[in-house]
Amino acid sequence: MATTSEIENIICKEIYDYIYPDNSNGILSSSINQDVKISRGWPQEAEISRDLMSSSEISWIVVNQQYGQTKNKTRYGRKWKLLDEENSFGITLDNFIDSAYYVQFNGLSIHDGLAGIVIDKSAYPVSVKSGQNSQTIAKNIYQTIQENYSGKISLDGSTIISKTELPIKGFCGKNTTMYQEISRLEETFCTSIFSSSIINRDNIENAVMASLLSGGFEKPLIDFSCA
């Protein structure tokens, strides 16, 4: 989420780029034939007074957050939401418990995910990459359990088999991405114009409006306070 200072900087930059589009050899050329200072927050009174009363007047454009206008517009509170509703993984499995215990993996993974088996309440998972087939996944799982269950578990293609009636159970699934919307705030920002001339003020106001309306803002809600 953007900070207040980042938003103020963006507004200032849009105005600056519109009024001073050219910067040749360090010399600024105003597109509105007026010199202005553009800043975040309120300037020092002595400086702004000196600029407004000088023989070659320098006007000011000041951008800041309007106090007391923040609104919390969070849509879903703090609930966790699924980023992707697609449930297909590509890999499926069958758990068999009849005369023997074995787990058979089937298919081809179309997403990254996880697969493994549970033996005696301990899980042995492996990561699954998109494009891996069931035989590769079963082989990777089998290799993770060799140290603890060598001679008790065997592998046949994509099927992991318990040779000693040791209960085993398979699991698999794609990685699921969740998100939580912490806050969605509506902020009001105030653009103030200081000029000793009404004509100059109107000219600057038109430039500010034009810069923000053409600057890619979806809904430029600008509150003008002119002095």
Side-chain angles (χ1 to χ4, degrees):
M1 184 174 65
T3 64
T4 297
S5 61
E6 288 172 336
I7 296 172
E8 289 175 346
N9 280 327
I10 291 172
I11 295 174
C12 287
K13 187 177 186 306
E14 291 294 337
I15 297 171
Y16 175 87
D17 289 344
Y18 184 88
I19 295 179
Y20 291 105
D22 299 318
N23 185 355
S24 301
N25 298 321
I27 300 175
L28 297 178
S29 178
S30 172
S31 63
I32 60 174
N33 297 317
Q34 289 178 243
D35 287 327
V36 298
K37 290 182 178 179
I38 305 165
S39 73
R40 293 174 46 220
W42 294 105
Q44 293 292 322
E45 184 177 348
E47 183 180 3
I48 194 170
S49 296
R50 183 176 62 250
D51 288 340
L52 293 177
M53 291 187 295
S54 66
S55 57
S56 56
E57 177 196 331
I58 300 176
S59 299
W60 278 74
I61 301 172
V62 178
V63 178
N64 51 37
Q65 184 185 24
Q66 190 164 342
Y67 178 76
Q69 297 299 311
T70 301
K71 295 181 180 179
N72 188 346
K73 304 187 77 173
T74 304
R75 292 180 180 178
Y76 308 112
R78 296 182 181 274
K79 295 180 181 179
W80 286 98
K81 298 287 182 178
L82 283 173
L83 189 63
D84 183 6
E85 298 293 341
E86 171 60 52
N87 293 319
S88 178
F89 179 38
I91 294 294
T92 61
L93 61 83
D94 295 311
N95 287 299
F96 293 92
I97 302 176
D98 43 33
S99 58
Y101 291 86
Y102 62 99
V103 177
Q104 181 177 348
F105 291 90
N106 307 290
L108 182 74
S109 63
I110 56 177
H111 293 287
D112 291 351
L114 196 71
I117 61 173
V118 176
I119 305 175
D120 194 22
K121 298 183 180 180
S122 295
Y124 297 87
V126 298
S127 67
V128 176
K129 297 297 182 183
S130 176
Q132 284 185 330
N133 61 34
S134 57
Q135 289 189 353
T136 299
I137 294 169
K139 179 180 178 181
N140 292 340
I141 297 170
Y142 179 70
Q143 289 175 345
T144 66
I145 62 176
Q146 281 300 288
E147 183 177 349
N148 295 329
Y149 294 98
S150 177
K152 297 180 180 180
I153 304 291
S154 64
L155 176 68
D156 181 10
S158 64
T159 304
I160 299 174
I161 305 167
S162 172
K163 299 168 63 176
T164 60
E165 296 187 357
L166 182 68
I168 61 175
K169 185 175 183 180
F171 61 89
C172 69
K174 74 164 193 169
N175 293 338
T176 300
T177 303
M178 307 287 290
Y179 74 95
Q180 181 186 41
E181 186 176 47
I182 297 175
S183 65
R184 183 186 294 257
L185 300 179
E186 179 181 283
E187 304 274 6
T188 301
F189 290 84
C190 178
T191 304
S192 304
I193 299 170
F194 297 87
S195 180
S196 61
S197 164
I198 294 177
I199 295 176
N200 287 347
R201 183 204 66 183
D202 291 345
N203 189 28
I204 295 171
E205 182 177 329
N206 289 334
V208 171
M209 284 295 295
S211 67
L212 298 181
L213 290 172
S214 63
F217 296 99
E218 185 175 342
K219 292 183 179 180
L221 304 179
I222 309 300
D223 177 24
F224 284 94
S225 175
C226 302

